[in-house]
């Protein structure tokens, strides 16, 4: 079955690619024995299909890049390595960051920045850090009364939206946030309107305080709202564990997820911490389809414990 899907994918059958993606989101290891064929047939996208690539396949990709025969495919090959997150891939990408391979001059970002697509990064000290967790839970929207005395957005005057209210004394929350190192309460407030146009930051503490960051910069293209907009009268609460950390959906109702890996609508966009410039840890996503009957897009939540910042950004098709 999988081999047939791969051959159909090589013939640009979109439905076959969707089926392969569904398999890799459920259990990436099911594709491992077939990734050599996928690579031979030059099916490199979506790169997430190579999440469970073994050492032999990773070596083949590295050898192709080192040989410099296909510089026009470097972007796709680096994404394959990033999603594999294999130690051999990490070692090669570190090397290429100082000894760029053929075609690197045409890339829009540095080689190591591709790691973000795979959910990891290399910090200033040279150590690897995973940006995402390996456990995910459904986020179920619960109706909640709107505050009448809460803070408002300094740009559009809309009441701020509580996008998350978490406490690591709840074991499931502690598990989902384990990769961040956070302990205590975590409240993330943002403007649901302005976050659609720029990444918004807040300063957070384990006591559950959240304060709009004074350094947030209003973009020039932010439209002037005719009047303040009420945020969703919904708060995500923890549901059941997802079978795989890859099952968040930015498109489907019920796709909102705490923990696990993001379902990016566009390119990977891990927010950079305004305190130190390093990519922040990914917390979860809230899908527009879960906020409104005709909602679209998704809000992505991020956290950086060392500097005490949370962030919210938004993507849509």
């Amino acid at each position: 079955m999988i081999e047939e899907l791969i051959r159909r994918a090589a013939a640009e059958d979109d439905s076959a690619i969707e089926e392969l993606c569904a398999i890799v989101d459920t259990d990436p290891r099911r594709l491992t024995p077939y990734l050599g064929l996928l690579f031979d047939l030059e099916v490199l996208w979506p790169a997430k299909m190579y999440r469970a690539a073994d050492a032999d396949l990773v070596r083949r990709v590295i050898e192709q890049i080192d040989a410099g025969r296909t510089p026009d495919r470097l972007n796709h090959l680096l994404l394959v390595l990033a999603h594999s997150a294999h130690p051999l891939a990490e070692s090669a990408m570190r090397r290429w960051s100082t000894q760029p391979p053929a075609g690197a001059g045409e890339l829009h970002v540095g080689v190591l920045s591709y790691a973000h697509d795979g959910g990891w990064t290399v910090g200033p000290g040279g150590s690897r850090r995973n940006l995402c967790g390996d456990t995910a839970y459904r986020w179920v929207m619960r109706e909640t009364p709107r505050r009448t005395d809460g803070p408002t957005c300094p740009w559009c005057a809309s009441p701020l939206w509580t996008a998350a209210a978490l406490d690591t004394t709840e074991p499931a929350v502690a598990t989902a946030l384990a990769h961040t190192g956070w302990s205590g309460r975590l409240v993330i407030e943002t403007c649901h309107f302005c976050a659609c146009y720029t990444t918004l930051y807040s300063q957070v503490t384990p006591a559950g305080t959240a304060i709009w960051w004074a350094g947030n910069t209003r973009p020039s293209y932010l439209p002037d709202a005719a009047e303040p907009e009420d945020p969703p009268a919904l708060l995500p609460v923890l549901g059941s564990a997802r079978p795989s950390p890859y099952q968040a959906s930015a498109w489907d109702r019920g796709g909102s997820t705490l923990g696990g890996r993001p379902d990016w609508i566009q390119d990977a966009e891990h927010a950079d911490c305004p305190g130190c410039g390093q990519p922040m840890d990914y917390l979860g996503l809230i899908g527009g389809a879960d906020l409104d009957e005709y909602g679209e897009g998704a809000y992505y939540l991020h956290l950086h414990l060392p500097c005490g910042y949370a962030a919210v950004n938004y993507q849509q098709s």
Side-chain angles (χ1 to χ4, degrees):
M1 168 192 166
I2 292 179
E3 182 173 337
E4 178 188 351
L5 287 174
I6 289 173
R7 295 191 183 280
R8 285 169 51 197
E12 301 184 356
D13 184 330
D14 290 342
S15 63
I17 293 175
E18 289 179 6
E19 289 188 57
L20 289 170
C21 287
I23 291 172
V24 82
D25 286 342
T26 303
D27 183 1
R29 294 169 296 181
R30 285 186 60 195
L31 289 190
T32 301
Y34 304 93
L35 292 179
L37 174 61
L38 195 71
F39 189 67
D40 288 340
L41 295 177
E42 301 184 355
V43 182
L44 302 179
W45 184 89
K48 69 178 184 178
M49 292 190 291
Y50 291 88
R51 280 176 181 147
D54 59 19
D56 289 341
L57 192 282
V58 170
R59 287 192 188 95
R60 289 184 60 191
V61 179
I62 293 171
E63 288 168 0
Q64 185 167 133
I65 292 175
D66 280 335
R69 292 189 297 268
T70 55
D72 57 313
R73 299 169 65 191
L74 180 60
N75 177 66
H76 289 299
L77 294 172
L78 288 174
L79 287 172
V80 166
L81 292 178
H83 278 277
S84 78
H86 196 281
L88 291 174
E90 177 188 343
S91 177
M93 292 171 73
R94 286 175 182 267
R95 170 166 57 86
W96 294 325
S97 69
T98 58
Q99 304 170 37
E106 302 300 317
L107 301 176
H108 297 295
V109 297
V111 169
L112 272 179
S113 293
Y114 279 80
H116 300 178
D117 286 79
W120 55 282
T121 188
V122 175
S127 60
R128 171 171 166 164
R129 176 166 65 91
N130 291 326
L131 300 174
C132 307
D134 292 324
T135 305
Y137 294 86
R138 290 176 173 84
W139 243 349
V140 181
M141 298 302 126
R142 183 183 67 190
E143 291 190 15
T144 184
R146 289 193 174 98
R147 294 172 59 183
T148 58
D149 59 347
T152 59
C153 174
W155 301 342
C156 71
S158 298
L160 295 186
W161 171 45
T162 301
L166 304 166
D167 194 330
T168 59
T169 59
E170 187 174 353
V173 172
T175 300
L177 270 58
H179 67 292
T180 72
W182 189 267
S183 179
R185 296 176 59 204
L186 176 62
V187 174
I188 299 178
E189 293 183 336
T190 194
C191 177
H192 75 292
F193 177 77
C194 295
C196 295
Y197 297 92
T198 189
T199 300
L200 292 181
Y201 297 93
S202 56
Q203 294 173 286
V204 294
T205 73
T209 61
I211 301 173
W212 174 280
W213 181 50
N216 284 325
T217 303
R218 176 177 176 145
S220 59
Y221 51 81
L222 182 70
D224 293 323
E227 57 184 29
E229 292 189 8
D230 284 331
L234 298 168
L235 178 70
V237 297
L238 213 60
S240 58
R242 291 199 181 276
S244 159
Y246 305 105
Q247 292 186 321
S249 174
W251 305 88
D252 301 325
R253 182 163 295 180
S256 298
T257 299
L258 175 67
R261 309 300 177 94
D263 179 26
W264 300 111
I265 295 174
Q266 302 171 15
D267 293 336
E269 193 179 357
H270 291 279
D272 289 331
C273 175
C276 65
Q278 291 301 300
M280 303 173 74
D281 295 318
Y282 168 76
L283 288 184
L285 72 78
I286 300 173
D290 288 332
L291 298 176
D292 186 84
E293 182 179 359
Y294 302 105
E296 60 176 341
Y299 295 91
Y300 300 84
L301 280 59
H302 315 267
L303 176 69
H304 195 229
L305 168 65
C307 297
Y309 286 99
V312 178
N313 53 13
Y314 176 85
Q315 291 185 352
Q316 70 177 46
S317 57

